[in-house]
Amino acid sequence: MPESRIRRLDGRITLLLLLAACFVCQYIPVTYLPLWLACLGSLFFLREMRRVEITAMLRGGLYFMAFWMVMTVGSDLLAGKPFATAILASLPLGGRLLALTLVGMAFVGLATPMETGRAAAWFLRPVLRSHAWKPALCIAMTAWFLPVMLRLTGQVRAGMRARGLRLSWGRRLTLLVGTSLRILESMAVELAVGLASRRLDDWRSW
């Protein structure tokens, strides 16, 4: 299937749009926040945003949002505020966190890691000159590792369920994190060797 029009944008334009979206998430007035969430939610009409790892990011973002909303409500209740007031006060925070989650999903789904890295190198070159490739490579690797990490943890969790392991919550979390980190460590070594063999760890390549 052909790529969406947004997916075909120049990487520098996409990076600027993502940075602008982060700024909007932080400073948009609360009254316009539902409209902004609806605009970000419309990105799911794009085929690139309906991958498994992208929806896993949404689930993780919802957990993160719920945690901080509960913490905000709890602190307000301890301060003596009514329950209804505490709930209403936590909604803007939850909305902004959800908006940032959707922007992060767009970052992963609508731009390839190498396009993002090259765009970052282009913007940083006037400032960092020959060292611009280092943060650009870090950004590219972050964009690559996010969906890989989410897909990997999902596979490890599925493997634990298939084995019928009956473990406590803490032991299950320790096993999930430890196994995922060991696999990611081996993948990082392979990635480092691949980058060095293709001479991508040099400023001239960027």
Side-chain angles (χ1 to χ4, degrees):
M1 294 180 64
E3 294 180 335
S4 63
R5 190 171 297 178
I6 296 179
R7 182 66 183 77
R8 294 195 299 268
L9 287 175
D10 185 277
R12 290 167 291 187
I13 298 176
T14 304
L15 188 59
L16 285 176
L17 288 175
L18 291 172
L19 292 174
C22 291
F23 182 84
V24 173
C25 291
Q26 180 66 28
Y27 295 105
I28 188 171
V30 176
T31 52
Y32 295 109
L33 191 54
L35 179 61
W36 176 237
L37 287 172
C39 292
L40 293 176
S42 66
L43 293 174
F44 283 95
F45 288 108
L46 303 176
R47 180 175 57 86
E48 294 87 354
M49 293 293 291
R50 295 196 293 269
R51 304 202 309 264
V52 174
E53 56 267 25
I54 303 298
T55 54
M57 285 184 67
L58 177 59
R59 186 168 56 249
L62 291 175
Y63 289 150
F64 183 76
M65 178 190 72
F67 171 79
W68 283 110
M69 287 182 68
V70 169
M71 294 293 291
T72 302
V73 170
S75 63
D76 287 343
L77 291 177
L78 290 175
K81 294 183 180 180
F83 181 76
T85 303
I87 290 291
L88 290 175
S90 69
L91 291 179
L93 173 63
R96 294 185 193 279
L97 290 177
L98 179 58
L100 286 172
T101 298
L102 295 175
V103 171
M105 294 165 65
F107 170 70
V108 173
L110 299 178
T112 65
M114 289 308 298
E115 287 176 349
T116 304
R118 285 195 295 265
W122 188 87
F123 284 115
L124 294 173
R125 192 175 295 119
V127 179
L128 300 179
R129 299 186 181 277
S130 61
H131 296 285
W133 69 273
K134 295 180 181 179
L137 182 58
C138 291
I139 294 172
M141 291 302 96
T142 300
W144 182 80
F145 258 107
L146 277 174
V148 170
M149 181 179 64
L150 291 169
R151 186 168 58 248
L152 177 61
T153 53
Q155 292 171 351
V156 172
R157 192 182 296 110
M160 292 168 58
R161 285 197 302 266
R163 290 175 177 269
L165 298 177
R166 299 182 178 228
L167 303 171
S168 64
W169 182 86
R171 178 61 180 159
R172 188 166 60 248
L173 179 61
T174 302
L175 183 61
L176 175 64
V177 173
T179 304
S180 301
L181 286 178
R182 282 195 296 271
I183 299 174
L184 285 172
E185 182 181 5
S186 63
M187 293 175 63
V189 173
E190 295 177 4
L191 181 61
V193 173
L195 288 171
S197 64
R198 291 171 177 80
R199 297 181 179 178
L200 290 175
D201 56 344
D202 186 270
W203 67 270
R204 287 165 292 192
S205 301
W206 293 83

